[in-house]
Amino acid sequence: MSLSRRAFLADATAAAAVSKAAAAAATAAAAATATATAPPAAAPPPAHPGKSVTIERIDVFPVRYPVIGRFKFFERPDGRPGGRAAVLVRITASDGTTGWGQSVPIPRWSYETQETVLTTLRNHLIPRWIGRDPFDEQGLARELDSAIAPSFSTGQPICKAGLDLALFDLTGRLLGQSAAQRWKLPGSPTVTLSWTLNPRHIGEVEDLVAQGRARGYRHFNVKVAPDPRADLELCRLVKRLVPDGFLWADANGGYDEATALAVAPKLADIGVPVLEQPLPSNRLTGYRRLKKLGALPILMDEGIVSHVELQEFIRLELLDGVAMKPARCGGITEARRQIEIARDAGLLVLGSGLTDPDVSLAASLALYGAFDLKYPAALNGPQFLEGSVLRTPFTVTRGELAVPKGPGLGVEVDPSRIEPLTDRDA
Ligand SMILES: [Mg+2]
């Protein structure tokens, strides 16, 4: 696949059809629940195209999905899989309509944990939204940033993403619109996936590639760093096994500058089309040198949380593209904004994820499907996770996932399916 700097296809198939919103009276599962009650006389919401409703209550459900195989971010110190912790968020409007979201912390990837998500939602964020107009998008976002202030960038974005997704789902249902319809984008009916390879040693690679191919995957993303010799051997082997696949290397900030400058041209020679997050997020002069070297496009992932630093880093000429993740950015609303900024600047946009289960995965599919991203998306929840809270769980077919067609995030949560996944230690 040749690598164009134009990250979007101009033509795409028509947007998905709308179906009626459901789940107006979902019963609470046996999970820990944080609830606040609306004030008795909430001010009437301003005029908007949807219904005049207020946010009546918000419930949270800590869950843990079993992990299949090995993914380094979910290993316990003793090497055993620890499960994928998450927190489901349900917003109920005053007319009974519900919207679902999901916070997906990975403490070995960034600083948020399931515990911090729960306490921040219950004690700081949820009380700010009760009684508010769900269509006051900017006012609600300001409340979140006021309650948990930014540090270098947005504070606790993964936690906040759970609320943003639930709000987007709720308002989409009230409007009767999918993401693509809401944003007036043609959209795509499917998203092509990339299979993640993070072998302990080179001897595992052939089998791991075969596992992906057996499930219909044609594209692979590899975890590299800190050992460049092992990384080059890994990429050479994967390129030999899958010569036509899109082979995307992600260092998760694991190289130092000298190593990254040395390995980038060698990865390019092998046919690796992009190098994601080669350095820690705060090594800005290193990014500038890597981009200037021009061996291959340099993407940032961990380094971009809000659109503010994205714009700053574009001006500073630090990057050629972004690996998007709604969870990392504080939700789908901010992620959409960043895609538009990156697209306008001529940057590459690759769809990525945080091993998203269920609802978080639905949000990524809604976003990437709406923008019809050109390259395969590293959405590896279906690869590494078991279990689902959805009435109709996602199924990968020929290495692709269908973009949900309904309003909001397009999926229906079955509350009875939460109980088996409930994290009772949370
Ligand atoms: Mg990454």
Side-chain angles (χ1 to χ4, degrees):
M1 182 186 292
S2 65
L3 190 61
S4 164
R5 295 177 71 85
R6 182 172 57 85
F8 299 90
L9 294 175
D11 56 341
T13 52
V18 174
S19 68
K20 276 284 188 186
T27 53
T33 300
T35 303
T37 307
H48 54 67
K51 298 175 183 175
S52 292
V53 297
T54 54
I55 294 172
E56 189 165 279
R57 58 181 286 162
I58 303 175
D59 301 295
V60 297
F61 306 85
V63 287
R64 187 173 293 267
Y65 298 79
V67 171
I68 315 162
R70 172 191 179 255
F71 194 30
K72 61 182 181 179
F73 293 113
F74 299 119
E75 276 184 337
R76 296 180 197 268
D78 63 5
R80 290 186 299 121
R84 203 270 177 264
V87 177
L88 284 157
V89 178
R90 181 180 63 191
I91 301 180
T92 305
S94 51
D95 71 344
T97 308
T98 55
W100 287 88
Q102 193 166 38
S103 304
V104 290
I106 303 179
R108 293 188 63 183
W109 187 83
S110 78
Y111 60 85
E112 293 184 77
T113 69
Q114 188 191 47
E115 293 89 339
T116 66
V117 167
L118 284 167
T119 56
T120 297
L121 286 172
R122 287 169 171 156
N123 301 336
H124 302 277
L125 303 183
I126 288 175
R128 299 272 192 139
W129 276 21
I130 301 301
R132 298 289 300 261
D133 172 12
F135 288 93
D136 181 14
E137 194 176 284
Q138 292 184 3
L140 292 170
R142 276 197 300 272
E143 288 289 347
L144 299 190
D145 285 338
S146 167
I148 298 292
S151 178
F152 179 80
S153 186
T154 310
Q156 296 185 234
I158 293 174
C159 171
K160 290 172 180 171
L163 275 175
D164 175 81
L165 265 49
L167 185 73
F168 187 87
D169 191 40
L170 173 71
T171 51
R173 287 168 188 277
L174 290 167
L175 293 168
Q177 291 179 328
S178 68
Q181 289 169 327
R182 195 164 174 174
W183 299 332
K184 298 182 172 50
L185 293 168
S188 169
T190 58
V191 170
T192 301
L193 304 183
S194 171
W195 185 263
T196 298
L197 300 169
N198 76 133
R200 291 185 193 84
H201 55 82
I202 198 77
E204 292 182 338
V205 175
E206 287 206 37
D207 187 46
L208 292 171
V209 169
Q211 288 175 26
R213 297 194 81 150
R215 291 181 61 182
Y217 285 70
R218 306 181 304 281
H219 308 287
F220 294 81
N221 56 292
V222 294
K223 293 297 185 185
V224 296
D227 179 358
R229 186 176 300 183
D231 298 338
L232 293 169
E233 188 182 12
L234 168 64
C235 290
R236 268 189 214 102
L237 177 55
V238 178
K239 200 66 193 168
R240 183 165 63 74
L241 294 169
V242 196
D244 298 327
F246 186 77
L247 170 60
W248 156 15
D250 180 5
N252 289 111
Y255 290 132
D256 58 38
E257 182 182 324
T259 305
L261 286 165
V263 79
K266 295 173 183 171
L267 289 169
D269 287 345
I270 293 170
V272 174
V274 295
L275 176 57
E276 177 186 343
Q277 197 69 28
L279 308 172
S281 301
N282 53 5
R283 295 292 184 184
L284 301 186
T285 54
Y287 276 96
R288 193 165 196 173
R289 290 190 187 107
L290 272 167
K291 175 172 164 46
K292 195 172 180 186
L293 178 69
L296 77 176
I298 302 298
L299 269 54
M300 282 194 190
D301 172 5
E302 288 91 331
I304 304 290
V305 178
S306 86
H307 67 278
V308 177
E309 61 267 20
L310 175 58
Q311 289 171 318
E312 288 289 324
F313 292 176
I314 290 171
R315 287 187 201 113
L316 290 167
E317 300 182 355
L318 305 188
L319 72 169
D320 300 295
V322 184
M324 285 307 307
K325 292 179 178 172
R328 182 195 67 225
C329 303
I332 191 171
T333 311
E334 171 68 16
R336 173 204 176 199
R337 189 173 187 175
Q338 293 187 22
I339 288 179
E340 289 178 338
I341 291 169
R343 181 184 59 180
D344 291 347
L347 263 61
L348 286 165
V349 178
L350 270 59
S352 185
L354 278 178
T355 314
D356 305 82
D358 300 316
V359 181
S360 187
L361 180 61
S364 296
L365 291 170
L367 180 72
Y368 305 156
F371 280 92
D372 196 7
L373 295 190
K374 186 172 181 177
Y375 299 100
L379 290 170
N380 57 22
Q383 177 183 343
F384 288 114
L385 304 182
E386 281 184 322
S388 178
V389 299
L390 301 183
R391 193 155 290 148
T392 307
F394 285 110
T395 306
V396 177
T397 306
R398 293 185 294 279
E400 295 182 343
L401 277 172
V403 177
K405 294 179 178 176
L409 297 178
V411 291
E412 301 297 336
V413 172
D414 179 350
S416 72
R417 296 191 176 197
I418 297 175
E419 199 278 332
L421 293 170
T422 294
D423 191 338
R424 303 192 188 287
D425 296 327

